Amino acid sequence: MGKDRGFGSGVALASDVIATNCHVIKDAAKIQVVHRGKEYLAAIRHSDWDRDVCTLVASGINAPAVVTGTTNRLKVGARVYAIGAPKGLELTLSEGIISSLRPVDGGQYLQITAPISPGSSGGGLFDEEGRFIGLPAFYLAEGQQLNFAVPLEWISELPKCHKETVKAAETTAIEWYIIAVALADKKSWAGLLTHSLGWTEAQPKDANAWYYLGLAYWESGQTSEAIKAIDTLQELLRINPEHAYAWFRLGLAYSQSGQKTKVMEIYKRLKTLDPATADKFFNKVVLP
């Protein structure tokens, strides 16, 4: 007889379509969705393991669909509500605020103060008007309120990001990212250096990985190694000069090293390439 290996939460997008985090169903031999006390067999519809976003089909579930919102107009301090099944307790509501909007390639992670516990992953994050805006994904149990959600816009992009066969990474991009954020916040530069070296090896095309590696080297006094990490960011841009987020991270690296002329050059480039990313860049740096 089979044994349960794990559980998580999900959000109904349509009567038989459920959104959740991919890590909730990782290595599952069978997926079951529970709704109003009944169990329904489910199958993966679309998946993007890099972003940790999946949709499932659960025939016959007939669940009411959520009302969707947007993360594009969210601001730090906005009140949010997380609904999920932490530790199996269904429809548990917690509230908090957006404590940070952290830009990443193709969107932004939502850092929230609403508590997240095991089983909350894949549930719904809602704004003050009850509109669905994201999936709570990961938290760090270190008392720092480092709780993160992925934006709902990534769900709408699933059909074009879906791959029929994919091996789920042992550590996802968001896991690498939030650990780096926590180490940087604590100014644990040796820890960040070790972490970022593993990250760049596992995900060599991730601009965040090279940025945090450069930061760790810079703060550790290893200037030449920091420059090499920045050079790798530049190489990513030579391969794809329209990679707005790589420009964003390169600009932050230049800002930290006091190269204001290059910071202004990158800001002007971003204004043409991606105005929204340029605005986020403007709020992060001091322009000459």
Side-chain angles (χ1 to χ4, degrees), residues 226-275:
I227 291 171
K228 289 178 184 178
I230 293 173
D231 287 343
T232 303
L233 268 177
Q234 291 174 319
E235 181 60 30
L236 290 177
L237 288 164
R238 279 190 284 271
I239 296 170
N240 179 11
E242 295 187 359
H243 192 330
Y245 189 68
W247 283 115
F248 176 93
R249 279 306 188 190
L250 181 60
L252 291 188
Y254 283 144
S255 177
Q256 288 168 339
S257 59
Q259 300 181 62
K260 293 184 178 180
T261 300
K262 289 188 175 181
V263 171
M264 178 57 79
E265 290 174 356
I266 287 178
Y267 175 65
K268 290 178 178 177
R269 180 184 287 269
L270 282 173
K271 286 292 286 184
T272 301
L273 185 63
D274 185 341

Side-chain angles (χ1 to χ4, degrees), residues 120-143:
S120 296
S121 293
L125 185 70
F126 298 85
D127 65 16
E128 289 185 292
E129 297 183 22
R131 295 171 300 194
F132 174 52
I133 57 172
L135 298 171
F138 283 97
Y139 69 97
L140 289 183
E142 298 180 6

Side-chain angles (χ1 to χ4, degrees), residues 9 28 43 46 48 69 72 94 104 106 109 118 136 141 187 191 200-201 221 224 232 239 250 252 254 259 262 273 278:
S9 304
H46 293 124
D48 183 347
N72 295 329
S94 62
V104 291
Y109 291 139
K187 301 187 186 304
T200 54
E201 182 177 354
S224 61
T232 303
I239 296 170
L250 181 60
L252 291 188
Y254 283 144
Q259 300 181 62
K262 289 188 175 181
L273 185 63

Side-chain angles (χ1 to χ4, degrees), residues 22-41:
C22 293
H23 76 263
V24 170
I25 57 171
K26 184 179 178 181
D27 299 327
K30 181 172 70 172
I31 304 170
Q32 289 183 306
V33 176
V34 179
H35 177 57
R36 293 179 177 172
K38 294 185 63 177
E39 295 181 353
Y40 300 84
L41 281 175

